[in-house]
């Protein structure tokens, strides 16, 4: 393992060359990444070789181009072998999905951001995910095992047949059901 400290340089954006065989399909996320860079700045450098070939950071590079940035931060990976470069490209993208979220702590963090008036879409979570995480999960006012008492005058009687629809009858007894009677009224 190399003990050199990571060195980040500012490079002209046109010096960087995207890897033609990048297996990540990310064109649909360029706008989202551009919004993140606009909000937070360019905080995660692109990893590249001295010849300009991008090892990691294709989406950040596309977003930087869309934003019209002249320079981007680059961390060099010249000490890696060709095999290590190929493996690192995969690792850098795959490792983001290794961990699981603690949804209770995540909801607390998102709740704090919401109270501060921060645009939650800049966290990378979609509207549906945010809605589920921030939903009020207040417990009911009764024990879930408590059953309500039966009404003194129940609506249905033994033998009633309840079906959804405009016309319902009981073929066995050739009588109309309470539902049909209610519909006729």
């Amino acid at each position: 393992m190399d003990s050199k400290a990571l060195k980040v340089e500012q490079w002209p954006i046109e010096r960087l060359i995207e890897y033609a065989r990048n297996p990540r399909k990310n064109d649909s996320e360029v706008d989202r990444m551009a919004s993140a860079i606009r909000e937070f700045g360019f905080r995660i450098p692109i990893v590249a070789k001295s010849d300009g070939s991008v090892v990691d950071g294709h989406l950040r590079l596309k977003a930087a181009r869309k934003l019209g940035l002249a320079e981007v931060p680059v961390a060099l990976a010249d000490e890696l072998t060709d095999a290590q470069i190929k493996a690192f490209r995969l690792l850098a993208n795959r490792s983001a999905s290794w961990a699981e979220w603690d949804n209770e702590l995540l909801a607390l963090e998102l709740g704090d951001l919401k109270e501060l008036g921060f645009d939650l879409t800049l966290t990378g979570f979609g509207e549906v995910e945010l809605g589920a995480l921030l939903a009020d999960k207040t417990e009911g006012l009764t024990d879930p095992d408590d059953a309500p008492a039966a009404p003194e005058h129940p609506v249905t009687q033994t033998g009633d047949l309840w079906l959804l629809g405009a016309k319902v009858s009981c073929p066995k007894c050739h009588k109309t059901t309470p539902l049909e009677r209610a519909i006729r009224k």
Side-chain angles (χ1 to χ4, degrees):
M1 183 164 150
D2 193 347
S3 62
K4 291 181 187 178
L6 180 68
K7 183 180 172 191
V8 177
E9 303 172 356
Q10 286 294 122
W11 278 22
I13 200 166
E14 63 271 357
R15 185 174 170 190
L16 294 162
I17 306 159
E18 292 180 41
Y19 180 54
R21 289 177 45 184
N22 179 20
R24 295 287 286 189
K25 297 177 181 180
N26 56 24
D27 288 343
S28 64
E29 300 303 325
V30 172
D31 288 339
R32 185 187 288 200
M33 181 57 73
S35 294
I37 291 171
R38 197 177 300 114
E39 177 70 24
F40 305 115
F42 212 112
R43 299 286 176 203
I44 304 171
I46 292 171
V47 179
K49 304 264 297 182
S50 290
D51 66 2
S53 58
V54 174
V55 176
D56 177 58
H58 290 81
L59 178 58
R60 294 187 299 281
L61 178 58
K62 290 175 186 177
R65 285 185 178 135
K66 180 166 186 134
L67 291 169
L69 300 181
E71 293 184 332
V72 292
V74 174
L76 290 177
D78 287 332
E79 72 281 1
L80 299 178
T81 67
D82 288 345
Q84 287 175 318
I85 293 289
K86 284 185 175 294
F88 184 78
R89 277 188 180 112
L90 300 174
L91 168 75
N93 287 286
R94 186 68 177 144
S95 63
S97 63
W98 287 351
E100 292 181 28
W101 291 99
D102 179 322
N103 286 339
E104 288 179 27
L105 294 176
L106 177 58
L108 289 174
E109 290 296 305
L110 291 168
D112 288 351
L113 286 171
K114 185 176 180 181
E115 284 180 21
L116 293 169
F118 192 80
D119 180 358
L120 296 180
T121 62
L122 292 171
T123 62
F125 291 93
E127 289 182 29
V128 172
E129 292 170 303
L130 290 169
L133 288 162
L134 295 172
D136 183 14
K137 297 184 175 96
T138 306
E139 293 292 325
L141 300 176
T142 61
D143 183 323
D145 292 329
D146 282 348
E152 190 174 323
H153 302 287
V155 175
T156 36
Q157 302 294 324
T158 303
D160 283 350
L161 174 65
W162 287 80
L163 298 174
L164 298 178
K167 181 142 173 101
V168 180
S169 61
C170 179
K172 273 188 177 179
C173 57
H174 302 288
K175 296 180 185 174
T176 58
T177 65
L179 177 60
E180 189 174 348
R181 288 190 299 271
I183 291 171
R184 287 182 179 167
K185 287 183 184 178

